[in-house]
């Protein structure tokens, strides 16, 4: 099984991977990608590695693989934090509007930017999408979010049109959750960094082959900040937790 996985990964990655395999023989995908992420973290100063360890172990825990987690806890000298349920205040605000105004009122208030949509509108609408009782209602909310975000603005500076970037991020996540590749590709163009590593991993949840990102992980490991590692953990964490989309 693992040998078949490795052969497929090499075929996917191209000729360069044959000379320098993306995974060690016998590795499964999770072992390979997590190793590559930690190798990237290993290029960082020791204090930054220390700060990343809890996030890394908590991401490994999403796999549900107790043996894999125990291995990494032993290697890093730490323990993943137990998963805890925290109050979701954004969801609670969205629920309150829906109870008071219904779906029509919820969307009308959002489109007008009325309280509570005057602050954190993209996140509130995303919470509404997740509360939708059926795919049609969820699509209605997402369509409203795309309309409010407007078209991509490639020439915009990072701090310009910040709400569009927020819409792009939450819409990308919503599309990843429901395995909607067309919506994802549309949404990611609204984000501040559409080529970001997080989104690259999220996309592979729908297309398969997250292991093909290992060479990029290793190349970006030469950076001196933690952004690429955090993005990789957030991106691959979604695959560990949710699995791949149905073919």
């Amino acid at each position: 099984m693992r040998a078949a996985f490795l052969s497929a990964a090499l075929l996917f990655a191209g000729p360069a991977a044959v000379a320098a395999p993306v995974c060690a023989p016998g590795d499964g995908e999770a072992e390979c990608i997590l190793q590559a992420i930690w190798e990237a973290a290993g290029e960082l100063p020791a204090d930054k590695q220390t700060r990343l360890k809890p996030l890394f172990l908590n991401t490994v825990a999403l796999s549900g693989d107790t043996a894999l987690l125990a291995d990494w806890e032993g290697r890093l000298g730490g323990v993943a934090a137990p998963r805890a349920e925290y109050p979701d205040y954004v969801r609670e605000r969205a629920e309150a509007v829906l109870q008071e105004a219904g779906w029509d009122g919820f969307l009308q208030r959002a489109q007008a930017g009325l309280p509570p949509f005057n602050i954190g509108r993209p996140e509130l609408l995303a919470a509404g999408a997740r509360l939708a009782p059926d795919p049609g209602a969820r699509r209605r909310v997402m369509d409203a979010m795309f309309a409010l975000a407007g078209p991509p603005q490639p020439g915009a500076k990072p701090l310009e049109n910040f709400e569009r970037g927020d819409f792009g991020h939450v819409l990308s996540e919503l599309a990843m959750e429901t395995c909607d590749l067309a919506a994802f590709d549309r949404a990611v163009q609204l984000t501040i960094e559409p080529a970001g590593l997080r989104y690259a991993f999220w996309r592979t949840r729908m297309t398969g082959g997250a292991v093909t990102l290992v060479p990029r992980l290793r190349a970006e490991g030469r950076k001196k900040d933690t952004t690429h590692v955090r993005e990789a953990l957030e991106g691959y964490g979604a695959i560990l937790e949710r699995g791949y989309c149905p073919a």
Side-chain angles (χ1 to χ4, degrees):
M1 179 72 175
R2 289 185 173 182
F5 160 76
L6 181 60
S7 298
L10 294 178
L11 179 62
F12 224 150
V18 176
V22 294
C23 299
D27 278 355
E29 182 193 271
E31 292 95 324
C32 170
I33 293 177
L34 290 168
Q35 179 64 37
I37 293 173
W38 193 250
E39 285 174 4
E43 299 289 331
L44 298 168
D47 60 325
K48 293 184 178 180
Q49 292 182 44
T50 299
R51 289 197 295 271
L52 283 170
K53 285 181 182 181
L55 176 60
F56 183 90
L57 290 175
N58 291 345
T59 302
V60 178
L62 295 175
S63 69
D65 186 331
T66 55
L68 181 64
L69 177 59
D71 177 56
W72 276 104
E73 287 177 334
R75 291 169 65 178
L76 299 187
V79 178
R83 298 194 71 173
E85 294 293 332
Y86 297 101
D88 189 338
Y89 296 112
V90 175
R91 181 186 175 95
E92 290 174 4
R93 286 162 63 199
E95 286 176 326
V97 177
L98 285 167
Q99 289 171 3
E100 179 184 342
W103 286 101
D104 288 342
F106 179 85
L107 292 176
Q108 288 167 3
R109 291 187 189 183
Q111 289 160 350
L114 298 175
F117 294 97
N118 55 324
I119 299 174
R121 181 163 61 169
E123 291 76 17
L124 271 170
L125 278 162
R130 293 186 175 102
L131 289 165
D134 55 66
R138 185 179 176 111
R139 169 54 60 187
R140 184 184 177 196
V141 177
M142 290 181 67
D143 286 345
M145 294 168 72
F146 275 116
L148 287 168
Q153 300 292 328
K157 297 178 181 179
L159 294 181
E160 293 176 349
N161 302 320
F162 64 91
E163 189 182 53
R164 179 180 286 107
D166 287 346
F167 269 122
H169 177 75
V170 295
L171 280 165
S172 297
E173 189 168 20
L174 288 168
M176 176 273 293
E177 291 170 358
T178 56
C179 302
D180 188 338
L181 183 59
F184 179 88
D185 285 344
R186 180 184 176 192
V188 79
Q189 295 307 313
L190 301 171
T191 65
I192 294 173
E193 192 180 7
L197 197 51
R198 174 199 300 110
Y199 302 122
F201 271 110
W202 282 0
R203 194 175 194 278
T204 64
R205 178 169 187 254
M206 294 168 277
T207 62
V211 73
T212 60
L213 294 173
V214 166
R216 177 177 170 183
L217 264 169
R218 289 174 174 157
E220 294 191 10
R222 300 183 181 93
K223 296 181 178 180
K224 295 303 178 185
D225 65 76
T226 63
T227 301
H228 63 297
V229 176
R230 293 179 182 277
E231 286 191 355
L233 289 171
E234 183 178 350
Y236 191 55
I239 297 174
L240 288 175
E241 183 174 22
R242 297 172 180 273
Y244 283 102
C245 296

